[in-house]
């Protein structure tokens, strides 16, 4: 896992991409991968597009517009979750014209765009000036979408009967991505509740999602749960490996992995607010293959176990204890390492491919 510094070299796929390349025969439309760009060693866009199209990955999350990569993906069956950086949110919130200009410039028509994420973990970004601008930016962007682009039936008919690539951009959802820090409680999962200090900003966003049929997007990382509790049984619980399970005394449900527990904590928080109809999308989740000396569990074996077991869990469509039989769109972090990120070594070590 990890990506080296030589551009244009052969790509070795490990973990999640190995699974998609060699074990899954059909496209997994509910499983995607994140493409981050805080790096100086990324392969050319055409090489990345070729790699993605050689797998059964059905979704790609971009944190900002990537015209060259999108152009290289033209005609593929890969849909895009298109991100808007936090720094661009004030401009979109400033006027409908600014949002219309962004949409006209950055929303591609040669690939399918399933959703647009206005910001990433913005409510917990540490910049309090951004929170009040989130909803206006989402509203302005929604109004700037092409006519008919938010109609599910129209999108299905176009995708079924029309051949022009430009018709593939139709049903576009507008949302934003949150960190698990939006929760004030998550253990046990039935106690899941949003942080009351965020209510002024988060509640209107939840209503926007409800009114427009858009999903709540979240970034859960069982790795960080393990980092704060490094018992062997916790590692097994986080890696989807055999364990005794954990009983939620309030609901009576038994959990056998942390991913389901985190997902159901979000579900409980949404239900408590009256938004049981709002779906959840996992915009990021992953496990680092390398870390500093004090970062327990950041190993190649654990990263591979988490990624492959997560995919097997999602592919089974067993769902979670609170929502059995319901699959959830999930984006795995990340396609490549991002060697320019600061912080601990683990921050630069989530990549699923390695250049040689």
């Amino acid at each position: 896992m990890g990506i080296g510094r030589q551009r244009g070299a052969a790509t070795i796929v490990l973990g999640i991409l190995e699974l998609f390349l060699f074990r899954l025969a059909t496209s997994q439309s509910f499983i995607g991968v994140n493409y981050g760009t805080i790096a100086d060693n990324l392969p050319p866009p055409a090489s990345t597009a070729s790699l993605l199209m050689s797998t059964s990955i059905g979704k790609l999350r971009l944190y900002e517009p990537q015209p060259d990569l999108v152009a290289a993906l033209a005609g593929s069956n890969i849909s895009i979750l298109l991100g808007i950086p936090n720094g661009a949110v004030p401009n979109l919130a400033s006027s409908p014209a600014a949002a219309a200009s962004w949409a006209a410039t950055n929303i591609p028509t040669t690939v399918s765009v399933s959703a647009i994420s206005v910001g990433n973990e913005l409510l917990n970004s540490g910049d309090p000036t951004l929170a009040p601008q989130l909803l206006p930016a989402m509203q302005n962007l929604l109004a700037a979408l092409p006519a008919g682009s938010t109609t599910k039936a129209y999108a299905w008919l176009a995708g079924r009967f029309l051949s022009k690539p430009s018709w593939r951009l139709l049903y576009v959802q507008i949302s934003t991505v949150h960190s698990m820090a939006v929760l004030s409680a998550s253990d046990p999962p039935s106690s899941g509740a949003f942080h009351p200090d965020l209510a002024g900003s988060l509640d209107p966003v939840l209503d926007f999602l409800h009114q427009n049929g858009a999903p709540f997007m979240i970034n859960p990382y069982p790795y960080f749960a393990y980092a704060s509790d490094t018992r062997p049984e916790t590692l097994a619980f986080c890696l989807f490996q055999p364990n005794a399970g954990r009983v939620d005394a309030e609901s009576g449900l038994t959990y056998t992995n942390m991913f389901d527990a985190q997902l159901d904590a979000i579900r409980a928080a949404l239900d408590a607010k009256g938004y049981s109809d709002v779906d959840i999308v996992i915009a990021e989740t992953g496990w680092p293959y390398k870390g500093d000396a004090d970062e327990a569990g950041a190993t190649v074996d654990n990263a591979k176990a988490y990624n492959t077991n997560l995919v097997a869990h999602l592919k089974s469509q067993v769902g979670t204890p609170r929502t059995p039989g319901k699959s959830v769109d999930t984006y795995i972090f990340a396609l490549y390492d991002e060697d320019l990120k600061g912080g601990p070594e683990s921050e630069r070590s989530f990549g699923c491919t390695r250049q040689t």
Side-chain angles (χ1 to χ4, degrees):
M1 301 170 79
I3 170 175
R5 299 186 180 272
Q6 297 177 339
R7 302 182 63 136
T11 299
I12 299 176
V13 290
L14 296 173
I16 184 64
L17 288 186
E18 182 180 52
L19 179 71
F20 277 111
L21 273 171
F22 303 118
R23 301 182 198 172
L24 300 181
T26 59
S27 175
Q28 302 300 304
S29 61
F30 51 87
I31 302 175
V33 68
N34 292 261
Y35 176 79
T37 59
I38 307 176
D40 62 3
N41 55 6
L42 298 176
S47 298
T48 294
S50 178
L51 173 62
L52 289 170
M53 288 188 289
S54 70
T55 74
S56 56
I57 289 174
K59 295 178 179 291
L60 178 68
R61 181 186 175 196
L62 304 178
Y63 292 85
E64 59 188 359
Q66 300 288 338
D68 291 344
L69 178 55
V70 168
L73 288 169
S76 73
N77 291 321
I78 296 174
S79 67
I80 302 296
L81 167 55
L82 180 59
I84 296 174
N86 291 350
V89 169
N91 184 50
L92 297 183
S94 65
S95 72
S101 176
W102 189 94
T105 302
N106 295 301
I107 300 179
T109 58
T110 57
V111 297
S112 174
V113 178
S114 60
I116 298 174
S117 165
V118 182
N120 182 50
E121 302 186 351
L122 182 148
L123 295 183
N124 298 105
S125 67
D127 185 347
T129 68
L130 290 176
Q133 300 183 78
L134 177 57
L135 181 62
M138 295 172 72
Q139 292 171 327
N140 286 342
L141 188 58
L142 180 66
L145 293 179
S149 63
T150 58
T151 303
K152 279 186 177 180
Y154 181 45
W156 183 86
L157 288 171
R160 177 67 177 83
F161 296 113
L162 300 180
S163 59
K164 293 183 179 179
S166 60
W167 284 100
R168 301 185 67 211
L169 170 65
L170 285 171
Y171 182 51
V172 181
Q173 299 172 319
I174 304 296
S175 188
T176 185
V177 176
H178 304 280
S179 75
M180 289 294 289
V182 296
L183 293 184
S184 61
S186 61
D187 187 19
S190 61
S191 71
F194 292 117
H195 205 291
D197 290 348
L198 297 177
S201 300
L202 182 58
D203 285 359
V205 169
L206 293 176
D207 191 60
F208 174 92
L209 301 180
H210 164 70
Q211 294 295 332
N212 294 286
F216 184 89
M217 297 185 174
I218 189 74
N219 294 340
Y221 280 89
Y223 166 73
F224 294 115
Y226 170 68
S228 63
D229 177 9
T230 56
R231 293 175 298 166
E233 57 265 35
T234 301
L235 181 61
F237 188 69
C238 290
L239 294 179
F240 301 87
Q241 293 173 337
N243 64 89
R246 299 182 181 184
V247 178
D248 183 328
E250 181 66 25
S251 68
L253 298 172
T254 299
Y255 288 83
T256 58
N257 66 82
M258 182 64 74
F259 179 83
D260 283 354
Q262 292 181 327
L263 182 53
D264 275 0
I266 292 294
R267 181 74 270 160
L270 287 169
D271 291 352
K273 286 283 189 179
Y275 296 115
S276 58
D277 62 325
V278 174
D279 288 334
I280 299 172
V281 166
I282 306 301
E284 280 182 30
T285 189
W287 196 285
Y289 66 87
K290 182 169 61 174
D292 293 327
D294 60 348
E295 294 188 285
T299 70
V300 170
D301 287 345
N302 287 344
K304 190 169 184 177
Y306 180 77
N307 285 337
T308 54
N309 290 339
L310 170 63
V311 170
H313 182 62
L314 295 170
K315 187 171 178 284
S316 74
Q317 299 191 51
V318 68
T320 70
R322 190 181 181 100
T323 56
K326 184 176 176 61
S327 61
V328 57
D329 285 2
T330 299
Y331 294 81
I332 297 173
F333 189 85
L335 184 59
Y336 301 123
D337 280 349
E338 295 178 90
D339 67 312
L340 298 183
K341 277 188 171 181
E345 181 65 29
S346 61
E347 285 293 309
R348 296 175 291 279
S349 307
F350 278 86
C352 292
T353 64
R354 174 182 297 155
Q355 297 293 104
T356 60

